Amino acid sequence: MNLRQYIPSKDFDEIKNWIDDERTHAMWCAGRFEYPLEQENFEAVLKFIASQWGDTPFVVSQDDGSTAGFFCYSLNEETKEGMLKFIIVNPELRGKGVAREMLELASNYAFEKTGAEAVHLNVFTTNIRAKKCYQKAGFTERNVTENAFSYKDESWGRCNMIKHREDKGGAV
């Protein structure tokens, strides 16, 4: 797999089809993007988070060039902590180690290219499958904020998970 920056004309049409229900969409982006995902809104949000926090959108592609996953990354220069956001993998590739490999590529990029000492991400506590995936990729729970997000009649806790530079080893 290869890590590269997101190219709207090449990648959006694939990514937009990866979520087909509103609850999963909310769990992925915490309502930051409109549902259903439309390119104009997606690009506007990506532009906003780039201007506010320096986020860069990335994709991982398979050897045949097809888009396998997406995430955004930014580095807090003061704390030397990188942050991963909007992590998603093509549903046809889930359960095959693609997410773990993508997270390894993202972590290596953060540590080696941006000088991060740690990388963190947030996951809703109800998203058990994603949390387990992050743990397999070397992330550990740092803290939980109860009732951090409301979706319809549900209230979700937000778990912040972190991976330190010294923890970057591990099987992919």
Side-chain angles (χ1 to χ4, degrees):
M1 290 184 44
N2 300 302
L3 178 67
R4 65 169 171 77
Q5 286 194 18
Y6 166 79
I7 302 168
S9 61
K10 180 176 182 168
D11 303 316
F12 179 79
D13 284 338
E14 256 188 274
I15 294 168
K16 75 175 181 180
N17 297 317
W18 291 352
I19 297 176
D20 59 5
D21 71 272
E22 191 173 1
R23 185 177 187 274
T24 302
H25 178 85
M27 199 168 288
W28 167 61
C29 71
R32 300 283 195 261
F33 300 110
E34 293 174 3
Y35 180 80
L37 199 59
E38 297 291 338
Q39 190 163 4
E40 185 176 329
N41 172 256
F42 190 65
E43 301 303 328
V45 172
L46 292 178
K47 185 176 180 179
F48 175 77
I49 64 174
S51 70
Q52 292 293 303
W53 300 288
D55 284 68
T56 301
F58 287 93
V59 298
V60 291
S61 58
Q62 298 188 95
D63 293 338
D64 66 3
S66 63
T67 305
F70 173 88
F71 66 91
C72 288
Y73 172 78
S74 62
L75 177 69
N76 180 323
E77 291 287 348
E78 291 177 23
T79 64
K80 291 297 183 193
E81 281 189 6
M83 182 166 194
L84 299 175
K85 301 175 188 163
F86 309 123
I87 301 162
I88 190 168
V89 169
N90 180 334
E92 294 175 8
L93 301 175
R94 291 182 190 156
K96 298 178 181 178
V98 171
R100 191 174 58 212
E101 187 173 347
M102 179 175 76
L103 291 165
E104 194 65 34
L105 289 169
S107 297
N108 288 340
Y109 173 85
F111 298 137
E112 296 167 13
K113 302 288 187 195
T114 72
E117 292 299 321
V119 178
H120 71 111
L121 54 83
N122 292 318
V123 61
F124 290 119
T125 54
T126 55
N127 196 346
I128 307 287
R129 188 173 180 183
K131 188 175 178 186
K132 285 181 181 179
C133 173
Y134 301 148
Q135 287 169 329
K136 286 180 183 176
F139 288 82
T140 58
E141 186 175 307
R142 178 159 57 175
N143 60 55
V144 173
T145 304
E146 297 297 333
N147 304 313
F149 184 78
S150 295
Y151 173 76
K152 298 190 177 183
D153 61 346
E154 299 177 49
S155 182
W156 301 339
R158 180 182 58 236
C159 177
N160 180 260
M161 300 183 78
I162 191 163
K163 180 178 184 177
H164 295 276
R165 179 186 286 274
E166 61 270 14
D167 300 335
K168 78 176 197 143
V172 174

